[in-house]
Amino acid sequence: MCGFLCEFTFQNQERTPKEQFEQLLSLSKHRGPDSTKVTRCENYQLGFHRLAILDLTEQGNQPKYSPSKRYHVVFNGEIYNFRDLQKEYELYSLRSTSDTEVLVHLFDLLGIKETLKTLNGMFAISVIDTKTECLYLSRDFAGIKPLFYGVSNYGIIAASQFNQVFGHPWFSKSLQLIPSEMKAYFALGYMQAPNTIYNTIFQVHPGELIQVSNKGGIKKEIVTHFPKYLDASHEPNFDVNVKNYNKLLGNVIKDQLVSDVPIAAFLSGGIDSPLVCALAKKSKPDIETFTIAVDSIKHDESKAALNYAQHLGTNHHTEHVSARDLLTNVDTHFKSLSEPLGDYSSIPTYLITKLARKTHTVMLSGDGGDELFFGYPRMLDVLAKKPWFKIPFGIRKPMVRLGIKLRLWYSWAPYNNKTFEDFVFSKQIHISSKHLDRFIPHTEFSKELKSLYKLPKKMNKKNHLHWLRYNEFYAHMQRVLIKVDRMSMANSLEVRVPFLDKESIRFAWQCYPKIEKNNFQLKGLLKSVLSFHYPKELIQTNKKGFSIPMEHWLHEELKDDVKKLIFDTPFYGNSYTDVAAIRAYVNDFFKGKHQEFWGVWHIYAWQKWALNEKLI
């Protein structure tokens, strides 16, 4: 796990001075504190910070040439099937035992696109083809690892961090915000790939390969993608799926336990991480587990996690975290964000990973289980209310109003949302549409974001469920992965996510819950798999979730700082926003006129990021 910076110049353009390049590279030192190397060539520069996980010797360092010297590579992440690929393609003359070594050999043997098709892991890769003088950028199929790039008249900048791109001299003096992407940030709390808030800076889409010529031509294609629509008519038997997935996930975790540095696993009281820990224990009997204890009985899972750990017989660690610990880390955690991110669960994530890094360099996590196996209650709500959206909007609105008046039902969703797609999207946004439209008037969401929530026609219930999963995977889950990557790497900790293995995703994509009267059991398959490893009385089906009392904090401990940043500080992007409307919205929150504390946090986080990056 590492951080890199790549500068690729077009014909007849000058490279930036070495000192400037190294200064930008230094911004990602926390992603790879073990070694740093910069290589300057005629039309490109590569810089790399390494967090050594496999082959701790100098032979594992980067940038790295392929054996033929044709390809020059910087690579962030892990390739979990590198040993299988080494055997399959008979790669015996290797100078290193790292996955990077196998990667560069495969580039020579198969070429870039065909190599990417073979990879199973989490990765962001930048490759210079010295023969054709092209740059290639690619990102893993789930979007676990970040890869930003900026396009200018001088060339391309690609990096692990957003601020390494917008801070580069080719961009820093001409940054132009995009109103539609600002609106998306305030709604969702993160930047949805492939766009960013700036007009010339982008994110490589999950599973995408981008080719850039030295004349500035850009070609894009998706190498690995999981489809929006599937034929569910030949779904395997549920019990067969349970047995098969138990075996598959066990093999996945076995591959992900390969490490030359200490590795452990996060353990909560829910479903996902206890399953990961149980299967990890089978492949690594001395696996250590790690849990956070909090003061709130409502949110504390440490007792349930301890019960799981005692059943498994793991060397278990419980770290107590108080509300004061979390509050004192708010500012520190913001300084670790190179991009605007409005997910306040990043605060406990920062602290958890900071504590874990004291003893370990790699951790296994249960992220991805909710998105793949229908773990969110909002999915049930969407399925239950779907019939309403068959009624024309003009008829539906008075029906809903009358029904609520007569107390026949209590949801305003079919009244407030014109289409089913709007209803699904409303489940993801944290500032109501009426406020968003005032914040950034006369602005639509981008076509890329709209297409993500475009419903295919003629779909049955299973197809609808899969479409919801597709949305969660390529939208909400991306915010979760951003949070985990940025906070863990701020502490130089690698987090691996077994559920997002390529074969795990493909398997999940063919599985559906049993639906009865618009209802189904959330994560039914995973709960059944979990029962193979724990007695029934231990299994906690109602996950509490490690949360924090943010609404209270905004009204009390953080109130002064929020007011200072939003009311007394220039608002970043004020040329595109109605600042008076934004300030009125926050002021109404303090007066108790609405309870959209998530929305207030999005605005606060935006200003915090802009202040830390010296944009205001």
Side-chain angles (χ1 to χ4, degrees):
M1 199 66 66
C2 312
F4 65 72
L5 177 63
C6 169
E7 178 184 286
F8 177 74
T9 58
F10 296 151
Q11 282 182 337
N12 304 318
Q13 299 296 333
E14 294 287 333
R15 298 171 303 179
T16 55
K18 181 181 179 182
E19 294 75 17
Q20 281 186 307
F21 185 84
E22 290 180 345
Q23 185 177 9
L24 282 170
L25 176 64
S26 69
L27 295 176
S28 61
K29 180 66 176 178
H30 53 275
R31 295 187 69 93
D34 296 329
S35 70
T36 299
K37 185 178 179 181
V38 174
T39 303
R40 285 168 58 87
C41 296
E42 185 176 352
N43 67 325
Y44 67 90
Q45 301 184 71
L46 297 175
F48 194 77
H49 291 306
R50 185 187 183 201
L51 178 62
I53 304 294
L54 297 172
D55 190 342
L56 309 185
T57 71
E58 290 185 4
Q59 296 300 323
N61 291 345
Q62 300 181 44
K64 200 174 194 68
Y65 277 109
S66 66
S68 70
K69 304 293 184 183
R70 175 175 177 175
Y71 301 107
H72 208 176
V73 178
V74 281
F75 152 58
N76 166 32
E78 303 289 346
I79 307 300
Y80 300 124
N81 63 333
F82 77 102
R83 289 178 173 172
D84 293 334
L85 293 171
Q86 180 183 348
K87 292 178 183 178
E88 180 180 353
Y89 292 99
E90 300 179 345
L91 305 175
Y92 300 124
S93 56
L94 305 182
R95 299 178 59 194
S96 164
T97 58
S98 71
D99 51 352
T100 310
E101 186 76 21
V102 172
L103 182 66
V104 295
H105 275 73
L106 287 175
F107 283 152
D108 271 350
L109 185 65
L110 303 177
I112 294 173
K113 180 178 177 180
E114 293 306 312
T115 295
L116 292 173
K117 290 180 180 179
T118 70
L119 302 183
N120 193 349
M122 54 180 185
F123 52 84
I125 306 173
S126 179
V127 185
I128 303 292
D129 184 338
T130 61
K131 181 178 179 180
T132 63
E133 295 188 345
C134 287
L135 166 69
Y136 291 86
L137 302 173
S138 188
R139 191 172 174 217
D140 68 73
F141 39 82
I144 303 169
K145 293 291 101 187
L147 186 47
F148 297 94
Y149 68 100
V151 182
S152 77
N153 292 330
Y154 303 99
I156 300 284
I157 302 299
S160 300
Q161 294 190 177
F162 187 45
N163 59 356
Q164 290 175 302
V165 182
F166 73 73
H168 191 280
W170 293 351
F171 301 94
S172 58
K173 296 179 181 179
S174 58
L175 293 173
Q176 183 176 333
L177 288 162
I178 309 174
S180 62
E181 299 309 318
M182 293 174 66
K183 183 175 182 178
Y185 164 78
F186 287 122
L188 301 168
Y190 72 105
M191 299 186 298
Q192 174 72 47
N195 299 318
T196 73
I197 56 171
Y198 294 127
N199 67 328
T200 56
I201 302 176
F202 309 91
Q203 302 176 73
V204 179
H205 195 277
E208 186 175 40
L209 172 63
I210 298 175
Q211 177 186 350
V212 185
S213 74
N214 64 356
K215 294 182 180 179
I218 299 178
K219 297 179 181 178
K220 301 179 182 181
E221 63 177 312
I222 298 295
V223 176
T224 305
H225 184 74
F226 303 102
K228 182 182 290 190
Y229 178 85
L230 284 178
D231 179 7
S233 60
H234 302 293
E235 180 192 357
N237 177 273
F238 180 82
D239 293 332
V240 172
N241 274 339
V242 170
K243 293 179 181 178
N244 288 345
Y245 190 68
N246 182 61
K247 180 178 179 181
L248 184 152
L249 189 61
N251 291 333
V252 164
I253 291 171
K254 182 178 180 180
D255 288 342
Q256 295 199 15
L257 286 169
V258 175
S259 173
D260 293 331
V261 293
I263 183 170
F266 289 120
L267 178 58
S268 72
I271 301 297
D272 305 333
S273 64
L275 179 54
V276 169
C277 290
L279 291 167
K281 172 71 175 177
K282 291 184 179 298
S283 293
K284 184 177 172 58
D286 63 344
I287 189 75
E288 297 183 32
T289 49
F290 193 96
T291 296
I292 292 295
V294 295
D295 295 330
S296 169
I297 296 176
K298 179 181 178 181
H299 298 115
D300 184 53
E301 295 185 319
S302 61
K303 184 176 180 181
L306 178 61
N307 290 336
Y308 280 133
Q310 289 176 338
H311 176 76
L312 294 176
T314 64
N315 182 5
H316 187 64
H317 308 271
T318 301
E319 294 275 358
H320 183 269
V321 174
S322 68
R324 178 53 53 187
D325 294 328
L326 292 165
L327 273 167
T328 56
N329 278 276
V330 170
D331 278 344
T332 305
H333 116 282
F334 271 126
K335 291 175 182 177
S336 302
L337 290 169
S338 75
E339 71 213 84
L341 179 66
D343 186 341
Y344 64 76
S345 65
S346 55
I347 303 168
T349 304
Y350 174 81
L351 195 52
I352 290 169
T353 55
K354 181 180 180 180
L355 293 169
R357 185 61 174 91
K358 291 180 179 179
T359 52
H360 298 89
T361 309
V362 182
M363 298 292 289
L364 298 182
S365 163
D367 293 308
D370 284 312
E371 289 78 13
L372 291 179
F373 294 99
F374 307 97
Y376 293 113
R378 58 177 169 262
M379 293 178 165
L380 290 170
D381 188 51
V382 165
L383 200 65
K385 292 186 174 64
K386 177 177 168 285
W388 274 103
F389 293 90
K390 296 178 181 179
I391 303 171
F393 191 51
I395 300 173
R396 187 192 333 142
K397 287 186 72 174
M399 286 179 61
V400 172
R401 185 191 294 273
L402 178 62
I404 289 176
K405 187 176 182 178
L406 296 175
R407 298 185 179 183
L408 298 176
W409 48 76
Y410 299 94
S411 174
W412 284 96
Y415 181 92
N416 293 325
N417 298 282
K418 187 174 183 179
T419 67
F420 183 65
E421 290 98 324
D422 291 340
F423 176 42
V424 173
F425 184 56
S426 73
K427 293 286 188 178
Q428 304 292 350
I429 66 175
H430 296 285
I431 298 178
S432 57
S433 297
K434 65 178 182 180
H435 292 304
L436 286 171
D437 291 340
R438 291 169 186 163
F439 292 177
I440 307 179
H442 315 298
T443 301
E444 298 288 330
F445 290 112
S446 69
K447 63 180 181 180
E448 291 87 357
L449 186 59
K450 286 182 178 180
S451 68
L452 188 58
Y453 290 90
K454 183 65 176 176
L455 180 68
K457 297 179 180 179
K458 298 181 180 179
M459 301 181 74
N460 59 29
K461 287 181 180 178
K462 284 187 175 180
N463 297 143
H464 271 114
L465 270 179
H466 176 70
W467 178 72
L468 290 173
R469 170 168 52 193
Y470 175 94
N471 278 232
E472 295 286 351
F473 185 90
Y474 283 108
H476 173 262
M477 189 182 78
Q478 300 303 310
R479 188 179 77 173
V480 174
L481 295 174
I482 291 168
K483 172 193 69 178
V484 174
D485 174 83
R486 307 311 186 263
M487 295 297 94
S488 61
M489 294 310 297
N491 293 299
S492 306
L493 179 78
E494 174 174 296
V495 175
R496 299 177 178 179
V497 280
F499 285 113
L500 300 183
D501 173 272
K502 184 188 287 185
E503 296 309 312
S504 171
I505 298 168
R506 285 175 174 166
F507 187 96
W509 231 242
Q510 303 295 330
C511 296
Y512 295 83
K514 298 175 181 177
I515 306 173
E516 296 180 5
K517 296 182 179 179
N518 291 332
N519 206 346
F520 61 88
Q521 184 185 38
L522 298 173
K523 286 198 289 195
L525 186 142
L526 291 188
K527 291 173 182 176
S528 295
V529 175
L530 194 67
S531 67
F532 290 164
H533 305 282
Y534 300 97
K536 184 178 180 181
E537 60 270 16
L538 280 187
I539 296 176
Q540 304 289 312
T541 57
N542 296 319
K543 181 175 172 61
K544 295 180 179 180
F546 184 18
S547 186
I548 53 181
M550 182 51 67
E551 185 174 8
H552 173 79
W553 284 4
L554 290 172
H555 277 294
E556 299 294 337
E557 291 89 344
L558 296 176
K559 184 176 181 179
D560 288 345
D561 196 44
V562 172
K563 293 178 73 173
K564 179 182 177 181
L565 270 177
I566 297 173
F567 299 143
D568 304 329
T569 304
F571 197 84
Y572 185 57
N574 55 20
S575 298
Y576 305 96
T577 57
D578 185 333
V579 179
I582 292 173
R583 288 173 174 166
Y585 171 82
V586 176
N587 197 42
D588 284 347
F589 169 76
F590 288 134
K591 291 181 177 180
K593 293 182 179 181
H594 70 78
Q595 296 178 314
E596 292 185 1
F597 62 93
W598 266 103
V600 175
W601 180 262
H602 287 186
I603 297 167
Y604 177 55
W606 170 267
Q607 286 288 86
K608 273 288 188 182
W609 164 75
L611 184 68
N612 286 334
E613 295 296 336
K614 298 179 172 57
L615 297 167
I616 53 176

